[in-house]
Amino acid sequence: MGVAELDFETKKNLITRNLQEVLGEDKLDAVLKERNLKIYWGTATTGRPHIAYFVPMSKIADFLRAGCEVTILFADLHAFLDNMKAPWDLLKLRAQYYEHSIKAMLTSIGVPLEKLKFVHGTGYQLSEKFTLDVYRFCSVITEHDAKKAGAEVVKQVEHPLLSGLLYPCLQALDEEYLGVDAQFGGVDQRKIFTMSEKYLPQLGYAKRIHLMNPMVPGLAGGKMSSSVEDSKIDLLDPPDAVKRKLKKAFCEPGNIADNGVLAFLKHVLFSLLKPDETFVVSRDEKNGGNLIFKNYEEVEVAFAEQKLHPADLKAAVETQINKLLAPIQEVFKSKEMRTLVTQAYPPPGKQKPGGGGNKNANNANVPDELVPSRLDIRVGKIVEVSRHPDADSLYVEKIDLGEESPRTIVSGLVNYVPIEQMQDRWVVVLCNLKPAKMRGVESCGMVLCASVDTEGAKNVEPLDPPENCTPGERVIVEGYETGNPDDVLNPKKKVWEKLQVDLKTSAECEAQWQGNILRTKTGGKITCKSMKNSPIR
C-alpha cells in the first residue's frame, strides 16, 4: 500500500508506535486529517554516533512510511554551546562525520534519502534574524526556566556557562525556523519541549507537537552514552568488539528491566522487520533447537520465563547488529572517510585542525578537550601527618608520591578520619592542581574522597587504592588511557571543576568518571569503604 493510500489511523499508528509520550495529540490529529506531517529530529554533533542512534532512525523510518516530511538537523552550534563538547574548530568536521554516518545508517535500514532533508544548524542560526530572535527569547525567559529546561540534556556543573542556558532556547527556535509541525526527540528533552510550548507563543510563533521516544538503556544498564565506552557499540566497531561488548552487557536471566539488549531488540530490530520476517535465535539441538519469534512480546515472555538464555539472546542480537553495521563500515573504508574520522575525532597527541597546538607541550591531549586523562591522579602513601597549627579542621600531610621528596598536602579531614588512621595510609591524590596556601601552609595537591551531605550531616571517606601499589603509580580512567595529564590544571578554565562533576562512586563503591572505572595501570580498581553513589571531591 502506497503512502497516499494510507488512512488516518494507519498513519497515526506508524507515527506514534513505540513512543513514550505525545504532547499536542489533538493538533496531530487535525494536521493528519488535512495533510502529511512535517517533523524534525535534531542531534548535537558531539561524541561519535553509536548503535543507539538506530532507535531514532527506526522511528524516522516510521515517519517516512506514514508520508511525513522529515528534516534531520545536525545541531553543530548546540554541540559547542553544551559545555563546549565540540570545540569550535571541529564543528564543521564533526557535522560532516555525522552526516555521512546518519546517511549510511538510514541506507542500512532501507530508508530512501530522497524523502529526507538534512540541515546544519550553523547554516541559519548565525543569521541576523535568528540572532535577533535569540535576544528576544532572552528578554522573556528567566534564568530559572532556561536552566530547568536543559537539566536533562545540557551537562550540569556547579557554575554553568551562559552557553548552556542558551542551548534550550535555540532548540525551541529551531521549530519555527525549520518550518515544522512537530519535533521528535527522547523523553529526556521533555523539559525543553514544554519550555518551547510556553515561550514560542510569547514571540508570536505557533506551539508545536512533540513526539518523545523512551530512553533506551545502554549495554551496561542506564543511559547509552558516547562517553561511557562499555555502554555503547560504535558504528565502526569490528565484529570482535561487538562480541566483547555484548558479552559484558547487563542481561540478567529473567530480568526484563533496564536491559539494553532487550531494549535494542524491541525498539530497533523488531521495528525494522518486514511483516513476513521473524527473529531467529540459533541454538544447538541439544539445547532445544532454534527459537523463532514473530514479535517482541514473545521474546520478552520467553526471557522472563527463562526459556531464552542471555547467551543465546546476545548471540542472535550480535548477528543482527553486525548486519546493520556492515554497510556503514563499508562506506568508511575509503581513504577520504578514514581521514575525516581522524580529523573530526583526533586521537590524543594530535593537534586540532588550524594549528594552534597546545600551550602545554607536554600535554598529549587535544587542547581544551575535557577528558579525564588531563588529571594527574596518583597513588600515594602518607608518611607523616599532623594537625594544622592555625586551623582545627585541617591536617598537614607529607605524602610519598614517588618523587624525590614527600609532597605537602593540606586536607580538611580532621572531623572525619582520626589522625591515627591517616598515618601510613594509602591514598589517591590529584597532583596537578595549582599549589595554594591554606591558612599559611602551601598545599600541592588534593587527597580525593567520596563526600556527601545527608540530612545536614557531611560524610567523607578517602578513596582507597588497590593492594600492592607503589607510591606515584598513575591512576587512569578506563577508555582514556592514552592521554597525558596537564602539567598544571588551569584554574581560570576550571578544568578540574568541569571534570569533577562526573566523578562519583558506584553502587559497588567503585570510583568512576561518567561510568568509566578508575584503576591503576596494573589493573586494580579505586574504591572507598562504604559510600555508594557519592560525589568524589
Side-chain angles (χ1 to χ4, degrees):
M1 181 181 290
V3 169
E5 303 173 60
L6 297 180
D7 58 29
F8 165 81
E9 291 296 338
T10 303
K11 288 183 178 182
K12 183 177 179 181
N13 179 63
L14 280 169
I15 291 170
T16 60
R17 72 170 180 166
N18 288 335
L19 293 179
Q20 181 165 321
E21 188 176 2
V22 176
L23 297 178
E25 189 168 358
D26 291 345
K27 184 173 182 178
L28 171 65
D29 292 347
V31 173
L32 278 181
K33 288 175 181 178
E34 292 185 5
R35 58 174 173 79
N36 290 323
L37 201 67
K38 298 178 181 179
I39 302 175
Y40 106 83
W41 173 75
T43 180
T45 50
T46 53
R48 285 167 53 159
H50 45 77
I51 61 165
Y53 278 67
F54 276 110
V55 177
M57 292 304 106
S58 63
K59 275 309 302 175
I60 287 170
D62 281 344
F63 299 153
L64 292 167
R65 294 188 192 106
C68 299
E69 297 179 28
V70 179
T71 297
I72 292 181
L73 171 67
F74 296 110
D76 44 2
L77 189 56
H78 291 72
F80 174 75
L81 291 175
D82 186 3
N83 211 38
M84 294 184 292
K85 286 182 179 177
W88 182 260
D89 49 1
L90 291 184
L91 289 186
K92 184 176 180 180
L93 290 165
R94 290 195 177 176
Q96 289 176 11
Y97 178 76
Y98 265 67
E99 183 161 350
H100 286 294
S101 298
I102 298 295
K103 285 180 177 178
M105 291 177 75
L106 292 170
T107 301
S108 172
I109 62 178
V111 177
L113 298 184
E114 61 268 18
K115 297 182 179 182
L116 291 167
K117 181 167 64 174
F118 297 90
V119 176
H120 290 220
T122 48
Y124 65 90
Q125 291 167 347
L126 300 177
S127 68
E128 181 180 347
K129 187 174 185 298
F130 190 92
T131 301
L132 179 58
D133 269 342
V134 172
Y135 287 134
R136 292 175 62 213
F137 210 125
C138 291
S139 73
V140 296
I141 191 169
T142 64
E143 179 268 346
H144 172 269
D145 281 4
K147 187 174 182 180
K148 179 182 177 182
E152 302 297 325
V153 178
V154 180
K155 184 180 179 66
Q156 299 298 294
V157 295
E158 186 176 356
H159 302 290
L161 298 173
L162 181 59
S163 58
L165 301 178
L166 288 176
Y167 182 110
C169 303
L170 268 67
Q171 185 169 336
L173 288 171
D174 289 338
E175 298 178 347
E176 175 66 23
Y177 279 75
L178 293 173
V180 296
D181 306 303
Q183 182 179 174
F184 165 60
V187 73
D188 60 333
Q189 299 194 42
R190 191 182 195 281
K191 292 176 181 177
I192 293 181
F193 293 162
T194 55
M195 178 211 69
S196 174
E197 293 185 1
K198 175 181 178 181
Y199 283 101
L200 278 188
Q202 295 186 36
L203 301 178
Y205 298 141
K207 183 165 61 174
R208 264 62 180 195
I209 302 160
H210 294 102
L211 310 170
M212 284 169 274
N213 251 355
M215 297 306 296
V216 175
L219 299 178
K223 184 177 179 180
M224 189 178 291
S225 169
S226 295
S227 58
V228 183
E229 183 63 24
D230 283 340
S231 82
K232 53 89 180 181
I233 292 172
D234 190 271
L235 297 180
L236 302 185
D237 274 346
D240 60 335
V242 175
K243 180 183 290 291
R244 173 176 55 82
K245 291 179 179 180
L246 277 174
K247 185 176 181 180
K248 295 171 67 176
F250 176 77
C251 194
E252 186 179 41
N255 187 348
I256 61 175
D258 200 28
N259 187 321
V261 180
L262 283 176
F264 188 79
L265 183 64
K266 176 182 180 180
H267 291 281
V268 177
L269 298 182
F270 266 100
S271 69
L272 298 177
L273 291 180
K274 297 176 181 177
D276 58 341
E277 288 183 318
T278 57
F279 177 67
V280 179
V281 177
S282 300
R283 301 192 305 184
D284 292 338
E285 289 298 328
K286 64 181 180 180
N287 293 327
N290 293 352
L291 292 173
I292 300 175
F293 299 99
K294 297 179 181 178
N295 54 60
Y296 171 76
E297 288 72 23
E298 291 179 353
V299 179
E300 190 173 276
V301 169
F303 192 83
E305 295 177 352
Q306 299 193 35
K307 295 178 181 177
L308 172 58
H309 192 274
D312 294 326
L313 173 64
K314 289 180 178 182
V317 170
E318 176 190 337
T319 299
Q320 296 302 316
I321 287 176
N322 285 327
K323 285 182 180 179
L324 286 175
L325 296 183
I328 299 170
Q329 294 171 2
E330 192 66 32
V331 170
F332 282 91
K333 282 184 177 179
S334 71
K335 182 179 180 180
E336 179 187 2
M337 290 295 100
R338 292 199 306 270
T339 300
L340 175 61
V341 174
T342 303
Q343 290 179 336
Y345 296 94
K350 300 293 183 182
Q351 292 187 359
K352 293 188 291 185
N358 194 329
K359 293 178 182 179
N360 177 2
N362 296 320
N363 187 1
N365 298 301
V366 177
D368 296 327
E369 193 87 4
L370 284 173
V371 289
S373 50
R374 296 181 66 176
L375 304 178
D376 183 6
I377 304 177
R378 297 184 231 161
V379 172
K381 184 179 181 181
I382 299 175
V383 294
E384 181 182 325
V385 59
S386 61
R387 294 284 191 95
H388 192 295
D390 298 316
D392 293 339
S393 63
L394 302 179
Y395 285 130
V396 178
E397 304 127 2
K398 300 288 187 180
I399 302 180
D400 182 358
L401 290 162
E403 299 168 326
E404 291 185 7
S405 59
R407 188 183 292 213
T408 299
I409 293 177
V410 179
S411 304
L413 294 173
V414 169
N415 297 326
Y416 308 104
V417 185
I419 193 167
E420 59 271 16
Q421 292 181 20
M422 293 293 288
Q423 182 65 44
D424 298 322
R425 185 185 188 114
W426 288 86
V427 289
V428 178
V429 180
L430 177 63
C431 296
N432 59 340
L433 288 174
K434 184 177 180 179
K437 285 196 173 182
M438 299 182 69
R439 302 292 292 272
V441 177
E442 186 173 69
S443 179
C444 299
M446 177 192 297
V447 174
L448 294 180
C449 304
S451 174
V452 68
D453 294 321
T454 306
E455 297 179 354
K458 188 173 183 179
N459 297 305
V460 179
E461 287 181 1
L463 296 183
D464 295 319
E467 295 181 358
N468 302 318
C469 287
T470 56
E473 188 170 347
R474 178 90 188 274
V475 174
I476 58 177
V477 177
E478 287 189 347
Y480 297 88
E481 293 91 343
T482 54
N484 292 331
D486 293 9
D487 284 344
V488 178
L489 297 172
N490 189 334
K492 291 183 179 179
K493 293 189 176 182
K494 298 187 179 297
V495 178
W496 162 242
E497 288 81 359
K498 293 174 182 177
L499 291 169
Q500 181 274 326
V501 72
D502 288 320
L503 278 169
K504 295 179 175 65
T505 60
S506 68
E508 291 76 35
C509 296
E510 296 173 350
Q512 299 181 344
W513 185 83
Q514 291 191 352
N516 298 294
I517 292 173
L518 272 67
R519 61 174 176 82
T520 61
K521 286 221 168 184
T522 54
K525 296 179 180 179
I526 305 300
T527 61
C528 69
K529 184 178 179 181
S530 64
M531 295 183 64
K532 303 177 180 179
N533 303 314
S534 301
I536 294 172
R537 301 184 176 97

